[in-house]
Amino acid sequence: MTDKILTFGSEKVLLLADTGPLLARPGDTNDFLALSWGSEASTMVIPRTRLGEDFLQLRTRLAGEVVQKFVNYGLRLVVLGDISDALAQSAALRDFVREANAGRHLWFLPDEEVLAQKFGG
């Protein structure tokens, strides 16, 4: 699969391919933001397969730094895919995901079908 643009109403969403560079350290965030700006998308969907090992380990603060940068630039970030293994290992991550999914800046969603539902499609 290659990167693709999805449209939900007036919302333009960039869905990244399953393979490609990883979001593995804070400095990688700029490369992902550039992809979003280049496609004029207001939301970027990153498959779990594109996340570095530390992203879902909250003690590393990687997720927080990445999300803050997306918020600062007015972009929504969606992590797409099964994260149940990471959730099973961390109560803090479960709380973080629950709160994120109730907000509008960061969502953790299992698949494209739920993504479409989240946008009302």
Side-chain angles (χ1 to χ4, degrees):
M1 174 178 112
T2 60
D3 297 351
K4 62 183 176 180
I5 299 291
L6 306 173
T7 304
F8 299 101
S10 62
E11 191 88 24
K12 201 170 187 183
V13 176
L14 174 61
L15 174 59
L16 296 181
D18 290 335
T19 59
L22 296 180
L23 181 53
R25 52 190 178 81
D28 298 334
T29 309
N30 292 339
D31 296 332
F32 284 84
L33 288 168
L35 290 172
S36 188
W37 293 326
S39 66
E40 299 179 353
S42 58
T43 299
M44 174 174 277
V45 180
I46 300 177
R48 184 195 177 165
T49 56
R50 299 279 297 270
L51 299 177
E53 292 179 24
D54 291 342
F55 190 89
L56 295 174
Q57 296 177 14
L58 296 182
R59 64 178 158 64
T60 67
R61 298 188 172 150
L62 175 60
E65 289 182 45
V66 168
V67 171
Q68 188 59 57
K69 220 167 196 185
F70 271 80
V71 169
N72 288 348
Y73 287 104
L75 299 171
R76 177 184 294 121
L77 177 62
V78 177
V79 173
L80 193 69
D82 182 15
I83 61 167
S84 58
D85 57 332
L87 293 174
Q89 296 176 21
S90 173
L93 181 62
R94 286 191 298 275
D95 292 341
F96 179 72
V97 168
R98 184 179 61 253
E99 289 186 28
N101 283 346
R104 46 185 218 114
H105 300 292
L106 172 65
W107 297 335
F108 292 86
L109 304 176
D111 54 45
E112 283 186 60
E113 183 177 321
V114 175
L115 175 68
Q117 291 171 2
K118 198 77 160 155
F119 282 104

